[in-house]
Amino acid sequence: MIVRSSVPTSRGRRTRAALLQAGREAFEEHGYDAVRIDDVCGRAQVSHGTFYTYFDSKEALFGEVAAAAVGEMFAASAVGAAAAPDDPYARIEAANRLYLRAWAANSRLVRMVEQAATSEERFGRLLLELREVFVRRGAEGLKRLQEQGLADPELDPRLTAVMLGGMVEHFAHVWLDLGERADEQVAVDHLTRLWARAIGLTGTSGSREEGA
């Protein structure tokens, strides 16, 4: 689906970036189905023919726009090594907060991919690819905690990451897209408690919630 053309010139890179930005704006404003290639070209101020130098279809453009959005979400929700390096509970808390904020900035595009995936197989594959980056990060984090003796060793890291990640994603959708009322700090606190208890997190500041 995605065309990964080599762009040798700075002008070419700028044109391609302009098309991606124009595509994102158009998709977010009108939805995937309503956007035409001419709409994107008009926003980017390029010719119809120029579009096909970089993308072979609207679907290819949408795939790259969606992948870029998820890449932004992944980067924005990453907890740096300096953030409570010896406190897994605090790191989970920070990751949940950052994810909710990243979702707020990109949820419309992710929901478009989900909608498209119900009728077109290629978008279903794209959705799985996009979610895989988050699942892999969650599974790797759980493995480290298990190796340190801080989490339930009987849990399957990947399945746990899929399930708990789904919990956070669904809450983000209900809260930010559907209007469920909740204070951000309260929401982050509840998500973190649930996550920590689910993996059996021990020996960290998470112990503060054991008696809650």
Side-chain angles (χ1 to χ4, degrees), residues 144-159:
R144 287 193 295 271
L145 292 176
Q146 289 172 322
E147 291 167 357
Q148 295 166 10
L150 297 176
D152 185 346
E154 296 184 3
L155 291 174
D156 180 280
R158 179 176 177 81
L159 282 178

Side-chain angles (χ1 to χ4, degrees), residues 1 18 31 90 145 193:
M1 175 190 295
L145 292 176
R193 289 182 184 216

Side-chain angles (χ1 to χ4, degrees), residues 49-127:
T50 297
F51 176 91
Y52 287 102
T53 300
Y54 302 96
F55 304 98
D56 64 6
S57 64
K58 182 178 79 168
E59 291 84 355
L61 174 66
F62 181 63
E64 289 218 28
V65 167
V70 172
E72 290 174 13
M73 289 179 66
F74 186 76
S77 61
V79 179
D86 300 319
D87 190 342
Y89 187 91
R91 290 179 63 82
I92 293 171
E93 183 177 45
N96 284 331
R97 178 178 292 104
L98 291 172
Y99 182 85
L100 291 180
R101 293 176 180 178
W103 179 275
N106 296 280
S107 65
R108 183 161 172 76
L109 276 171
V110 176
R111 287 301 168 191
M112 280 185 219
V113 178
E114 290 180 335
Q115 183 176 7
T118 62
S119 58
E120 298 193 46
E121 183 180 350
R122 63 180 177 274
F123 288 121
R125 292 194 299 269
L126 175 62
L127 186 62

